[in-house]
Amino acid sequence: MTSAVLIGLTAALTVATACLFLLPLRDPKAAGRHWQTPNSPDTATAWLAASIHDAPTSALSAIKAHATMQLHIECSTAECARKAAAFDTLTGTGAIKPRTR
């Protein structure tokens, strides 16, 4: 009886631990790109969410610019400085030809 209880508790603890590490705590795309509320106590997450959209500190290579464009596909170049820098790099190399209106 005691070993069955221990096995059951071990299995429950293992499943609970796996759920904590494998399941996302929140879905950022469900509420839009800027899902962090201004008054959130999690300031580190808010800083990280803002910093990934900041302009890069050095020039992007064509490969990094291409990856940045894929990562920031939902961002606009007007609002996301990192995507704007990647767009400028790719237009400079001729990989993207901007539309003319």
Side-chain angles (χ1 to χ4, degrees):
M1 174 81 176
T2 306
S3 63
V5 171
L6 287 175
I7 291 172
L9 287 174
T10 304
L13 184 61
T14 303
V15 169
T17 304
C19 287
L20 285 174
F21 287 106
L22 297 177
L23 296 177
L25 296 177
R26 57 177 84 98
D27 183 9
K29 291 184 180 177
R33 187 168 58 88
H34 299 290
W35 51 273
Q36 191 70 27
T37 59
N39 297 326
S40 174
D42 192 4
T43 56
T45 303
W47 175 83
L48 179 62
S51 68
I52 62 173
H53 299 289
D54 290 346
T57 56
S58 61
L60 295 172
S61 67
I63 293 171
K64 286 185 179 180
H66 183 76
T68 299
M69 292 291 284
Q70 290 178 335
L71 181 65
H72 293 265
I73 195 165
E74 293 181 6
C75 299
S76 73
T77 55
E79 295 178 2
C80 181
R82 188 165 299 264
K83 184 172 182 175
F87 185 81
D88 291 343
T89 299
L90 293 176
T91 54
T93 61
I96 292 179
K97 295 188 182 359
R99 288 186 272 180
T100 56
R101 294 182 186 209

